[in-house]
Amino acid sequence: MIYVIGIGPGAKETMTLEAVRALEEAEVIVGYKTYIHLIEDFITGKEVLKNGMRQEVDRCKMAVEYARAGKKVAVVSSGDSGIYGMAGLVLELAAKEEMDIPVKVVPGITASIAGASLLGAPLMHDFCHISLSDLLTPWEVIEKRLKLAAEADFVICLYNPRSKGRSGHLEKAFQIMSEFKEPDTPVGIVKDVGRPEEKKVILKYKDMDYESVDMTTVVIIGNKSTFTHKEMMITPRGYLL
Ligand code: SAH
């Protein structure tokens, strides 16, 4: 059996009971070292296989190997395992190898949802997720999605917004969306959600602070109706008050 578990954004409190139970059930835990650290309390005494960033395929193959040897394996992702996480990869590999081992995907609270709750209620209307990482997606595709999502007036959650290797992507993304996003549109920046360094900032689109954003940040850009009140970002659902 392979469980692919979303452990939430960081804090123990935001893990689901189902995720905790699946971790308890598992004999072998596979994951990126930072995430293993976040769940230490739940996995004492278990065999742990951890490795670094960008080694997702190796991690996945290790999990399959152990599962084939009859072990109950947990593959962990931060947030939700099916949102830029390990669930798709495990299932793709299982399909490719026509694997006979059951895979159970255990959902988790993704970073945007946890971040949105800190900001107030920015995701009350239609929204989308766009990752600015072009490691696995051509940049032209990302640009097109940014432009069309902005034109369609989605609230937009940006994942992988800015890393050392591609620090200019976020600014470029804002330039592209500025054709459709008003300068006063509220933007929420949520960093290290659920972790000790957690931070939130709400500012206007035209005042975007690119430098404050890093790889453990989600940027949430409002739609045409989004407004702020007392440090809260609110996207109306449309009710008459
Ligand atoms: N599976 C994860 C997403 C992995 S992609 C999830 O569902 O949350 C990695 C990106 O997620 C990061 O670059 C960042 O944009 C976002 N992210 C993950 N954890 C975060 C956290 N604790 N606080 C803010 N953003 C986070």
Side-chain angles (χ1 to χ4, degrees), residues 101-157:
I101 302 159
V103 176
K104 177 149 179 44
V105 180
V106 179
I109 300 180
T110 190
S112 61
I113 304 300
S117 71
L118 292 177
L119 294 167
L123 306 182
M124 281 292 289
H125 216 289
D126 300 339
F127 65 95
C128 68
H129 288 97
I130 299 178
S131 165
L132 296 191
S133 169
D134 61 353
L135 288 175
L136 300 169
T137 307
W139 179 251
E140 306 75 65
V141 173
I142 299 171
E143 281 197 357
K144 186 171 179 191
R145 289 182 183 158
L146 287 165
K147 185 170 186 288
L148 295 177
E151 183 175 11
D153 200 28
F154 280 105
V155 175
I156 300 174
C157 305

Side-chain angles (χ1 to χ4, degrees), residues 35 40 187 193 231:
Y35 306 151
E40 262 163 4
V187 174
V193 179
E231 295 303 303

Side-chain angles (χ1 to χ4, degrees), residues 8-10 35 77-86 108-112 115 131 158-162 166 190-195 214-219:
Y35 306 151
S77 281
S78 79
D80 182 79
S81 64
I83 299 180
Y84 312 119
M86 294 291 287
I109 300 180
T110 190
S112 61
S131 165
L158 298 178
Y159 276 49
N160 300 299
R162 193 166 180 269
R166 43 193 169 77
V190 277
K191 186 171 147 45
D192 292 306
V193 179
R195 302 182 191 171
D214 66 8
M215 277 307 268
T216 52
T217 309
V218 171
V219 178

Side-chain angles (χ1 to χ4, degrees), residues 8-65:
K12 271 190 259 184
E13 290 74 12
T14 46
M15 269 176 80
T16 66
L17 202 50
E18 190 184 2
V20 173
R21 294 211 169 121
L23 283 175
E24 280 168 0
E25 185 81 9
E27 296 159 295
V28 182
I29 315 289
V30 182
Y32 172 45
K33 48 189 183 236
T34 310
Y35 306 151
I36 296 288
H37 172 66
L38 293 172
I39 52 166
E40 262 163 4
D41 292 356
F42 301 101
I43 58 172
T44 28
K46 295 185 193 276
E47 190 171 350
V48 177
L49 308 168
K50 48 187 168 184
N51 62 12
M53 221 159 58
R54 300 199 193 165
Q55 291 172 310
E56 292 85 0
V57 176
D58 291 343
R59 229 177 285 151
C60 193
K61 286 184 176 161
M62 278 196 293
V64 167
E65 231 171 82

